[in-house]
Amino acid sequence: MIAVMAMIVDHTTFWLVPSDTLFYVILRMIGRLAAPIMCYLISEGYFHTSNKKKYLKRLFIFALISHYPYILYFNLTSFQTTSIIWGLFAGFLALSISQSKVMPLGLKVFFILLCCLMSWTADWNYISVLWILAFGLFRNNFSLQMTSFILVGILFYVLPDFSILDPNSIFRLGILLTLPLFTMYDGTLGKKSFLMKWSFYIIYPGHLLILYVLRYYIF
């Protein structure tokens, strides 16, 4: 729920708030909560789901469904980029490969690199794949989970475009706001319901379509 609210705030801010304002920086920092939480929950979902193939298939289908709402709202071309759902799909696949009991290590590394390459044009690209892998591989060691999360985020997300004078760079540090939330998570499963299971998959493309209509046809 926090991830969904942060995502909607972020996508709405992109349209409505001028990028040269402090308000913009604050809201986009809040928006940085969404992707790390999504990646964390995909990793947790891998270990809790009763059917990994169905989970992977569901991510694939909704990555396709979300593609056009995403590029329409952000005014992008079909092959220029795609949504984070594709990165989550690639990350889940990479984690599945890493957990194989029969695949040689060298082959695992090769296919995981392919997953990173496959996610290159997705929102959050291979960063989401590496985060999901880190959360999954170090699931029983919280310190290593968070260390890996921070290193991947800083090296591949913050530093490449960072400038203390550029608001578009500063808000990237918002990924670190997830650390207290991860600390509070104790591994307890939430309540299972049809609504909770499907709400994110519906809300993601749904809110982009609504924002697209509001942005280009009403306001």
PDB file of all heavy atoms in Angstrom, residues 96-129:
ATOM      1  N   SER A  96      14.725 -16.970  -9.668  1.00  0.00           N
ATOM      2  CA  SER A  96      14.397 -18.380  -9.894  1.00  0.00           C
ATOM      3  C   SER A  96      15.619 -19.137 -10.407  1.00  0.00           C
ATOM      4  O   SER A  96      15.898 -20.259  -9.968  1.00  0.00           O
ATOM      5  CB  SER A  96      13.251 -18.511 -10.911  1.00  0.00           C
ATOM      6  OG  SER A  96      12.088 -17.857 -10.461  1.00  0.00           O
ATOM      7  N   ILE A  97      16.335 -18.516 -11.331  1.00  0.00           N
ATOM      8  CA  ILE A  97      17.545 -19.139 -11.879  1.00  0.00           C
ATOM      9  C   ILE A  97      18.604 -19.331 -10.790  1.00  0.00           C
ATOM     10  O   ILE A  97      19.247 -20.370 -10.692  1.00  0.00           O
ATOM     11  CB  ILE A  97      18.105 -18.279 -13.033  1.00  0.00           C
ATOM     12  CG1 ILE A  97      17.146 -18.309 -14.224  1.00  0.00           C
ATOM     13  CG2 ILE A  97      19.501 -18.740 -13.444  1.00  0.00           C
ATOM     14  CD1 ILE A  97      17.435 -17.273 -15.283  1.00  0.00           C
ATOM     15  N   SER A  98      18.748 -18.316  -9.946  1.00  0.00           N
ATOM     16  CA  SER A  98      19.765 -18.390  -8.880  1.00  0.00           C
ATOM     17  C   SER A  98      19.478 -19.500  -7.881  1.00  0.00           C
ATOM     18  O   SER A  98      20.391 -20.007  -7.227  1.00  0.00           O
ATOM     19  CB  SER A  98      19.855 -17.051  -8.144  1.00  0.00           C
ATOM     20  OG  SER A  98      18.747 -16.863  -7.271  1.00  0.00           O
ATOM     21  N   GLN A  99      18.206 -19.890  -7.747  1.00  0.00           N
ATOM     22  CA  GLN A  99      17.817 -20.900  -6.772  1.00  0.00           C
ATOM     23  C   GLN A  99      17.816 -22.312  -7.344  1.00  0.00           C
ATOM     24  O   GLN A  99      17.482 -23.269  -6.638  1.00  0.00           O
ATOM     25  CB  GLN A  99      16.420 -20.576  -6.221  1.00  0.00           C
ATOM     26  CG  GLN A  99      16.324 -19.254  -5.493  1.00  0.00           C
ATOM     27  CD  GLN A  99      17.225 -19.182  -4.277  1.00  0.00           C
ATOM     28  OE1 GLN A  99      17.137 -20.006  -3.374  1.00  0.00           O
ATOM     29  NE2 GLN A  99      18.116 -18.204  -4.254  1.00  0.00           N
ATOM     30  N   SER A 100      18.182 -22.456  -8.616  1.00  0.00           N
ATOM     31  CA  SER A 100      18.189 -23.772  -9.257  1.00  0.00           C
ATOM     32  C   SER A 100      19.189 -24.702  -8.569  1.00  0.00           C
ATOM     33  O   SER A 100      20.321 -24.305  -8.260  1.00  0.00           O
ATOM     34  CB  SER A 100      18.546 -23.630 -10.737  1.00  0.00           C
ATOM     35  OG  SER A 100      18.742 -24.909 -11.323  1.00  0.00           O
ATOM     36  N   LYS A 101      18.761 -25.937  -8.367  1.00  0.00           N
ATOM     37  CA  LYS A 101      19.626 -26.931  -7.710  1.00  0.00           C
ATOM     38  C   LYS A 101      20.452 -27.727  -8.721  1.00  0.00           C
ATOM     39  O   LYS A 101      21.366 -28.458  -8.343  1.00  0.00           O
ATOM     40  CB  LYS A 101      18.763 -27.906  -6.894  1.00  0.00           C
ATOM     41  CG  LYS A 101      17.985 -27.244  -5.757  1.00  0.00           C
ATOM     42  CD  LYS A 101      18.922 -26.752  -4.663  1.00  0.00           C
ATOM     43  CE  LYS A 101      18.158 -26.364  -3.414  1.00  0.00           C
ATOM     44  NZ  LYS A 101      17.224 -25.243  -3.614  1.00  0.00           N
ATOM     45  N   VAL A 102      20.107 -27.614  -9.996  1.00  0.00           N
ATOM     46  CA  VAL A 102      20.784 -28.439 -11.007  1.00  0.00           C
ATOM     47  C   VAL A 102      21.633 -27.629 -11.984  1.00  0.00           C
ATOM     48  O   VAL A 102      22.534 -28.170 -12.622  1.00  0.00           O
ATOM     49  CB  VAL A 102      19.747 -29.283 -11.799  1.00  0.00           C
ATOM     50  CG1 VAL A 102      19.060 -30.263 -10.873  1.00  0.00           C
ATOM     51  CG2 VAL A 102      18.722 -28.388 -12.488  1.00  0.00           C
ATOM     52  N   MET A 103      21.372 -26.359 -12.110  1.00  0.00           N
ATOM     53  CA  MET A 103      22.094 -25.542 -13.090  1.00  0.00           C
ATOM     54  C   MET A 103      23.487 -25.178 -12.577  1.00  0.00           C
ATOM     55  O   MET A 103      23.637 -24.713 -11.446  1.00  0.00           O
ATOM     56  CB  MET A 103      21.301 -24.259 -13.389  1.00  0.00           C
ATOM     57  CG  MET A 103      21.817 -23.469 -14.586  1.00  0.00           C
ATOM     58  SD  MET A 103      20.839 -21.954 -14.875  1.00  0.00           S
ATOM     59  CE  MET A 103      19.229 -22.661 -15.264  1.00  0.00           C
ATOM     60  N   PRO A 104      24.527 -25.373 -13.386  1.00  0.00           N
ATOM     61  CA  PRO A 104      25.891 -24.991 -12.989  1.00  0.00           C
ATOM     62  C   PRO A 104      25.997 -23.485 -12.732  1.00  0.00           C
ATOM     63  O   PRO A 104      25.256 -22.694 -13.333  1.00  0.00           O
ATOM     64  CB  PRO A 104      26.742 -25.391 -14.205  1.00  0.00           C
ATOM     65  CG  PRO A 104      25.916 -26.383 -14.947  1.00  0.00           C
ATOM     66  CD  PRO A 104      24.488 -25.996 -14.720  1.00  0.00           C
ATOM     67  N   LEU A 105      26.926 -23.104 -11.871  1.00  0.00           N
ATOM     68  CA  LEU A 105      27.075 -21.701 -11.484  1.00  0.00           C
ATOM     69  C   LEU A 105      27.334 -20.801 -12.689  1.00  0.00           C
ATOM     70  O   LEU A 105      26.747 -19.724 -12.808  1.00  0.00           O
ATOM     71  CB  LEU A 105      28.223 -21.567 -10.475  1.00  0.00           C
ATOM     72  CG  LEU A 105      28.537 -20.145 -10.004  1.00  0.00           C
ATOM     73  CD1 LEU A 105      27.330 -19.520  -9.318  1.00  0.00           C
ATOM     74  CD2 LEU A 105      29.743 -20.145  -9.069  1.00  0.00           C
ATOM     75  N   GLY A 106      28.211 -21.249 -13.589  1.00  0.00           N
ATOM     76  CA  GLY A 106      28.528 -20.443 -14.758  1.00  0.00           C
ATOM     77  C   GLY A 106      27.316 -20.174 -15.619  1.00  0.00           C
ATOM     78  O   GLY A 106      27.134 -19.059 -16.125  1.00  0.00           O
ATOM     79  N   LEU A 107      26.458 -21.185 -15.755  1.00  0.00           N
ATOM     80  CA  LEU A 107      25.236 -21.033 -16.544  1.00  0.00           C
ATOM     81  C   LEU A 107      24.251 -20.107 -15.837  1.00  0.00           C
ATOM     82  O   LEU A 107      23.551 -19.307 -16.472  1.00  0.00           O
ATOM     83  CB  LEU A 107      24.603 -22.404 -16.778  1.00  0.00           C
ATOM     84  CG  LEU A 107      23.717 -22.569 -18.024  1.00  0.00           C
ATOM     85  CD1 LEU A 107      24.474 -22.152 -19.279  1.00  0.00           C
ATOM     86  CD2 LEU A 107      23.222 -24.006 -18.134  1.00  0.00           C
ATOM     87  N   LYS A 108      24.207 -20.197 -14.504  1.00  0.00           N
ATOM     88  CA  LYS A 108      23.351 -19.288 -13.731  1.00  0.00           C
ATOM     89  C   LYS A 108      23.751 -17.837 -13.969  1.00  0.00           C
ATOM     90  O   LYS A 108      22.903 -16.982 -14.228  1.00  0.00           O
ATOM     91  CB  LYS A 108      23.463 -19.602 -12.226  1.00  0.00           C
ATOM     92  CG  LYS A 108      22.750 -20.849 -11.771  1.00  0.00           C
ATOM     93  CD  LYS A 108      22.872 -20.976 -10.260  1.00  0.00           C
ATOM     94  CE  LYS A 108      22.209 -22.220  -9.741  1.00  0.00           C
ATOM     95  NZ  LYS A 108      22.295 -22.322  -8.262  1.00  0.00           N
ATOM     96  N   VAL A 109      25.052 -17.564 -13.873  1.00  0.00           N
ATOM     97  CA  VAL A 109      25.554 -16.202 -14.083  1.00  0.00           C
ATOM     98  C   VAL A 109      25.206 -15.710 -15.479  1.00  0.00           C
ATOM     99  O   VAL A 109      24.762 -14.571 -15.661  1.00  0.00           O
ATOM    100  CB  VAL A 109      27.082 -16.145 -13.872  1.00  0.00           C
ATOM    101  CG1 VAL A 109      27.634 -14.772 -14.265  1.00  0.00           C
ATOM    102  CG2 VAL A 109      27.424 -16.453 -12.423  1.00  0.00           C
ATOM    103  N   PHE A 110      25.370 -16.580 -16.468  1.00  0.00           N
ATOM    104  CA  PHE A 110      25.061 -16.219 -17.855  1.00  0.00           C
ATOM    105  C   PHE A 110      23.597 -15.825 -18.010  1.00  0.00           C
ATOM    106  O   PHE A 110      23.279 -14.775 -18.585  1.00  0.00           O
ATOM    107  CB  PHE A 110      25.390 -17.387 -18.790  1.00  0.00           C
ATOM    108  CG  PHE A 110      24.975 -17.164 -20.216  1.00  0.00           C
ATOM    109  CD1 PHE A 110      25.692 -16.307 -21.044  1.00  0.00           C
ATOM    110  CD2 PHE A 110      23.858 -17.806 -20.729  1.00  0.00           C
ATOM    111  CE1 PHE A 110      25.305 -16.087 -22.353  1.00  0.00           C
ATOM    112  CE2 PHE A 110      23.460 -17.598 -22.042  1.00  0.00           C
ATOM    113  CZ  PHE A 110      24.186 -16.733 -22.856  1.00  0.00           C
ATOM    114  N   PHE A 111      22.694 -16.646 -17.498  1.00  0.00           N
ATOM    115  CA  PHE A 111      21.265 -16.369 -17.654  1.00  0.00           C
ATOM    116  C   PHE A 111      20.813 -15.172 -16.811  1.00  0.00           C
ATOM    117  O   PHE A 111      19.910 -14.427 -17.205  1.00  0.00           O
ATOM    118  CB  PHE A 111      20.437 -17.604 -17.309  1.00  0.00           C
ATOM    119  CG  PHE A 111      20.418 -18.639 -18.402  1.00  0.00           C
ATOM    120  CD1 PHE A 111      20.911 -19.908 -18.182  1.00  0.00           C
ATOM    121  CD2 PHE A 111      19.926 -18.328 -19.662  1.00  0.00           C
ATOM    122  CE1 PHE A 111      20.908 -20.860 -19.194  1.00  0.00           C
ATOM    123  CE2 PHE A 111      19.908 -19.263 -20.685  1.00  0.00           C
ATOM    124  CZ  PHE A 111      20.405 -20.534 -20.451  1.00  0.00           C
ATOM    125  N   ILE A 112      21.433 -14.970 -15.662  1.00  0.00           N
ATOM    126  CA  ILE A 112      21.108 -13.799 -14.845  1.00  0.00           C
ATOM    127  C   ILE A 112      21.541 -12.522 -15.560  1.00  0.00           C
ATOM    128  O   ILE A 112      20.821 -11.510 -15.562  1.00  0.00           O
ATOM    129  CB  ILE A 112      21.768 -13.903 -13.458  1.00  0.00           C
ATOM    130  CG1 ILE A 112      21.039 -14.960 -12.613  1.00  0.00           C
ATOM    131  CG2 ILE A 112      21.739 -12.548 -12.732  1.00  0.00           C
ATOM    132  CD1 ILE A 112      21.726 -15.298 -11.315  1.00  0.00           C
ATOM    133  N   LEU A 113      22.701 -12.562 -16.207  1.00  0.00           N
ATOM    134  CA  LEU A 113      23.145 -11.416 -17.016  1.00  0.00           C
ATOM    135  C   LEU A 113      22.184 -11.160 -18.170  1.00  0.00           C
ATOM    136  O   LEU A 113      21.912 -10.005 -18.521  1.00  0.00           O
ATOM    137  CB  LEU A 113      24.556 -11.655 -17.544  1.00  0.00           C
ATOM    138  CG  LEU A 113      25.686 -11.584 -16.504  1.00  0.00           C
ATOM    139  CD1 LEU A 113      27.017 -11.966 -17.140  1.00  0.00           C
ATOM    140  CD2 LEU A 113      25.766 -10.193 -15.882  1.00  0.00           C
ATOM    141  N   LEU A 114      21.644 -12.242 -18.743  1.00  0.00           N
ATOM    142  CA  LEU A 114      20.640 -12.084 -19.802  1.00  0.00           C
ATOM    143  C   LEU A 114      19.380 -11.402 -19.261  1.00  0.00           C
ATOM    144  O   LEU A 114      18.768 -10.585 -19.948  1.00  0.00           O
ATOM    145  CB  LEU A 114      20.276 -13.448 -20.396  1.00  0.00           C
ATOM    146  CG  LEU A 114      21.207 -14.026 -21.469  1.00  0.00           C
ATOM    147  CD1 LEU A 114      20.634 -15.339 -22.006  1.00  0.00           C
ATOM    148  CD2 LEU A 114      21.408 -13.041 -22.619  1.00  0.00           C
ATOM    149  N   CYS A 115      19.002 -11.753 -18.030  1.00  0.00           N
ATOM    150  CA  CYS A 115      17.836 -11.110 -17.398  1.00  0.00           C
ATOM    151  C   CYS A 115      18.087  -9.613 -17.216  1.00  0.00           C
ATOM    152  O   CYS A 115      17.190  -8.798 -17.422  1.00  0.00           O
ATOM    153  CB  CYS A 115      17.538 -11.758 -16.043  1.00  0.00           C
ATOM    154  SG  CYS A 115      16.851 -13.423 -16.151  1.00  0.00           S
ATOM    155  N   CYS A 116      19.312  -9.264 -16.814  1.00  0.00           N
ATOM    156  CA  CYS A 116      19.671  -7.850 -16.669  1.00  0.00           C
ATOM    157  C   CYS A 116      19.599  -7.139 -18.020  1.00  0.00           C
ATOM    158  O   CYS A 116      19.088  -6.018 -18.130  1.00  0.00           O
ATOM    159  CB  CYS A 116      21.074  -7.709 -16.081  1.00  0.00           C
ATOM    160  SG  CYS A 116      21.213  -8.196 -14.347  1.00  0.00           S
ATOM    161  N   LEU A 117      20.096  -7.799 -19.042  1.00  0.00           N
ATOM    162  CA  LEU A 117      20.063  -7.236 -20.390  1.00  0.00           C
ATOM    163  C   LEU A 117      18.632  -7.104 -20.889  1.00  0.00           C
ATOM    164  O   LEU A 117      18.265  -6.103 -21.504  1.00  0.00           O
ATOM    165  CB  LEU A 117      20.875  -8.122 -21.341  1.00  0.00           C
ATOM    166  CG  LEU A 117      21.020  -7.628 -22.788  1.00  0.00           C
ATOM    167  CD1 LEU A 117      21.761  -6.294 -22.837  1.00  0.00           C
ATOM    168  CD2 LEU A 117      21.749  -8.669 -23.631  1.00  0.00           C
ATOM    169  N   MET A 118      17.831  -8.084 -20.587  1.00  0.00           N
ATOM    170  CA  MET A 118      16.435  -8.097 -21.014  1.00  0.00           C
ATOM    171  C   MET A 118      15.646  -6.937 -20.397  1.00  0.00           C
ATOM    172  O   MET A 118      14.696  -6.415 -20.986  1.00  0.00           O
ATOM    173  CB  MET A 118      15.798  -9.434 -20.616  1.00  0.00           C
ATOM    174  CG  MET A 118      14.376  -9.638 -21.057  1.00  0.00           C
ATOM    175  SD  MET A 118      13.825 -11.332 -20.695  1.00  0.00           S
ATOM    176  CE  MET A 118      13.774 -11.305 -18.910  1.00  0.00           C
ATOM    177  N   SER A 119      16.057  -6.517 -19.201  1.00  0.00           N
ATOM    178  CA  SER A 119      15.338  -5.449 -18.488  1.00  0.00           C
ATOM    179  C   SER A 119      15.900  -4.060 -18.786  1.00  0.00           C
ATOM    180  O   SER A 119      15.482  -3.079 -18.170  1.00  0.00           O
ATOM    181  CB  SER A 119      15.411  -5.703 -16.975  1.00  0.00           C
ATOM    182  OG  SER A 119      16.756  -5.589 -16.520  1.00  0.00           O
ATOM    183  N   TRP A 120      16.847  -3.977 -19.706  1.00  0.00           N
ATOM    184  CA  TRP A 120      17.596  -2.738 -19.937  1.00  0.00           C
ATOM    185  C   TRP A 120      16.692  -1.535 -20.218  1.00  0.00           C
ATOM    186  O   TRP A 120      16.963  -0.429 -19.767  1.00  0.00           O
ATOM    187  CB  TRP A 120      18.581  -2.932 -21.088  1.00  0.00           C
ATOM    188  CG  TRP A 120      19.647  -1.885 -21.153  1.00  0.00           C
ATOM    189  CD1 TRP A 120      19.589  -0.673 -21.788  1.00  0.00           C
ATOM    190  CD2 TRP A 120      20.936  -1.929 -20.517  1.00  0.00           C
ATOM    191  NE1 TRP A 120      20.758   0.027 -21.604  1.00  0.00           N
ATOM    192  CE2 TRP A 120      21.602  -0.733 -20.831  1.00  0.00           C
ATOM    193  CE3 TRP A 120      21.583  -2.890 -19.736  1.00  0.00           C
ATOM    194  CZ2 TRP A 120      22.890  -0.452 -20.378  1.00  0.00           C
ATOM    195  CZ3 TRP A 120      22.859  -2.615 -19.291  1.00  0.00           C
ATOM    196  CH2 TRP A 120      23.504  -1.399 -19.608  1.00  0.00           C
ATOM    197  N   THR A 121      15.632  -1.735 -20.983  1.00  0.00           N
ATOM    198  CA  THR A 121      14.771  -0.606 -21.363  1.00  0.00           C
ATOM    199  C   THR A 121      13.620  -0.383 -20.382  1.00  0.00           C
ATOM    200  O   THR A 121      12.824   0.541 -20.573  1.00  0.00           O
ATOM    201  CB  THR A 121      14.186  -0.818 -22.772  1.00  0.00           C
ATOM    202  OG1 THR A 121      13.415  -2.020 -22.788  1.00  0.00           O
ATOM    203  CG2 THR A 121      15.290  -0.894 -23.807  1.00  0.00           C
ATOM    204  N   ALA A 122      13.515  -1.225 -19.361  1.00  0.00           N
ATOM    205  CA  ALA A 122      12.425  -1.060 -18.392  1.00  0.00           C
ATOM    206  C   ALA A 122      12.717   0.088 -17.432  1.00  0.00           C
ATOM    207  O   ALA A 122      13.873   0.446 -17.202  1.00  0.00           O
ATOM    208  CB  ALA A 122      12.232  -2.351 -17.603  1.00  0.00           C
ATOM    209  N   ASP A 123      11.673   0.662 -16.871  1.00  0.00           N
ATOM    210  CA  ASP A 123      11.841   1.645 -15.806  1.00  0.00           C
ATOM    211  C   ASP A 123      12.574   0.963 -14.646  1.00  0.00           C
ATOM    212  O   ASP A 123      12.172  -0.114 -14.200  1.00  0.00           O
ATOM    213  CB  ASP A 123      10.454   2.132 -15.360  1.00  0.00           C
ATOM    214  CG  ASP A 123      10.523   3.284 -14.387  1.00  0.00           C
ATOM    215  OD1 ASP A 123      11.577   3.952 -14.335  1.00  0.00           O
ATOM    216  OD2 ASP A 123       9.523   3.520 -13.683  1.00  0.00           O
ATOM    217  N   TRP A 124      13.656   1.540 -14.191  1.00  0.00           N
ATOM    218  CA  TRP A 124      14.541   0.987 -13.166  1.00  0.00           C
ATOM    219  C   TRP A 124      15.418  -0.139 -13.708  1.00  0.00           C
ATOM    220  O   TRP A 124      16.210  -0.710 -12.968  1.00  0.00           O
ATOM    221  CB  TRP A 124      13.771   0.519 -11.921  1.00  0.00           C
ATOM    222  CG  TRP A 124      13.196   1.647 -11.142  1.00  0.00           C
ATOM    223  CD1 TRP A 124      11.964   2.221 -11.307  1.00  0.00           C
ATOM    224  CD2 TRP A 124      13.813   2.381 -10.074  1.00  0.00           C
ATOM    225  NE1 TRP A 124      11.767   3.246 -10.424  1.00  0.00           N
ATOM    226  CE2 TRP A 124      12.894   3.375  -9.646  1.00  0.00           C
ATOM    227  CE3 TRP A 124      15.044   2.286  -9.438  1.00  0.00           C
ATOM    228  CZ2 TRP A 124      13.175   4.268  -8.627  1.00  0.00           C
ATOM    229  CZ3 TRP A 124      15.327   3.171  -8.404  1.00  0.00           C
ATOM    230  CH2 TRP A 124      14.392   4.155  -8.011  1.00  0.00           C
ATOM    231  N   ASN A 125      15.291  -0.460 -14.966  1.00  0.00           N
ATOM    232  CA  ASN A 125      16.129  -1.412 -15.707  1.00  0.00           C
ATOM    233  C   ASN A 125      16.723  -2.540 -14.851  1.00  0.00           C
ATOM    234  O   ASN A 125      16.023  -3.145 -14.039  1.00  0.00           O
ATOM    235  CB  ASN A 125      17.231  -0.665 -16.477  1.00  0.00           C
ATOM    236  CG  ASN A 125      18.038   0.295 -15.612  1.00  0.00           C
ATOM    237  OD1 ASN A 125      18.706  -0.092 -14.674  1.00  0.00           O
ATOM    238  ND2 ASN A 125      17.960   1.569 -15.938  1.00  0.00           N
ATOM    239  N   TYR A 126      18.028  -2.815 -15.028  1.00  0.00           N
ATOM    240  CA  TYR A 126      18.667  -3.940 -14.336  1.00  0.00           C
ATOM    241  C   TYR A 126      18.817  -3.701 -12.836  1.00  0.00           C
ATOM    242  O   TYR A 126      19.111  -4.642 -12.079  1.00  0.00           O
ATOM    243  CB  TYR A 126      20.041  -4.233 -14.949  1.00  0.00           C
ATOM    244  CG  TYR A 126      20.986  -3.056 -14.910  1.00  0.00           C
ATOM    245  CD1 TYR A 126      21.805  -2.831 -13.813  1.00  0.00           C
ATOM    246  CD2 TYR A 126      21.042  -2.158 -15.983  1.00  0.00           C
ATOM    247  CE1 TYR A 126      22.663  -1.748 -13.769  1.00  0.00           C
ATOM    248  CE2 TYR A 126      21.908  -1.071 -15.942  1.00  0.00           C
ATOM    249  CZ  TYR A 126      22.711  -0.870 -14.837  1.00  0.00           C
ATOM    250  OH  TYR A 126      23.553   0.219 -14.800  1.00  0.00           O
ATOM    251  N   ILE A 127      18.605  -2.470 -12.398  1.00  0.00           N
ATOM    252  CA  ILE A 127      18.678  -2.187 -10.955  1.00  0.00           C
ATOM    253  C   ILE A 127      17.630  -3.014 -10.220  1.00  0.00           C
ATOM    254  O   ILE A 127      17.893  -3.585  -9.150  1.00  0.00           O
ATOM    255  CB  ILE A 127      18.478  -0.687 -10.681  1.00  0.00           C
ATOM    256  CG1 ILE A 127      19.615   0.108 -11.308  1.00  0.00           C
ATOM    257  CG2 ILE A 127      18.383  -0.415  -9.182  1.00  0.00           C
ATOM    258  CD1 ILE A 127      19.402   1.610 -11.300  1.00  0.00           C
ATOM    259  N   SER A 128      16.424  -3.078 -10.782  1.00  0.00           N
ATOM    260  CA  SER A 128      15.363  -3.862 -10.144  1.00  0.00           C
ATOM    261  C   SER A 128      15.729  -5.338 -10.094  1.00  0.00           C
ATOM    262  O   SER A 128      15.444  -6.028  -9.107  1.00  0.00           O
ATOM    263  CB  SER A 128      14.031  -3.665 -10.888  1.00  0.00           C
ATOM    264  OG  SER A 128      14.140  -4.035 -12.247  1.00  0.00           O
ATOM    265  N   VAL A 129      16.384  -5.841 -11.133  1.00  0.00           N
ATOM    266  CA  VAL A 129      16.811  -7.245 -11.153  1.00  0.00           C
ATOM    267  C   VAL A 129      17.843  -7.504 -10.055  1.00  0.00           C
ATOM    268  O   VAL A 129      17.744  -8.489  -9.307  1.00  0.00           O
ATOM    269  CB  VAL A 129      17.408  -7.608 -12.538  1.00  0.00           C
ATOM    270  CG1 VAL A 129      17.939  -9.045 -12.522  1.00  0.00           C
ATOM    271  CG2 VAL A 129      16.369  -7.436 -13.633  1.00  0.00           C
TER     272      VAL A 129
END
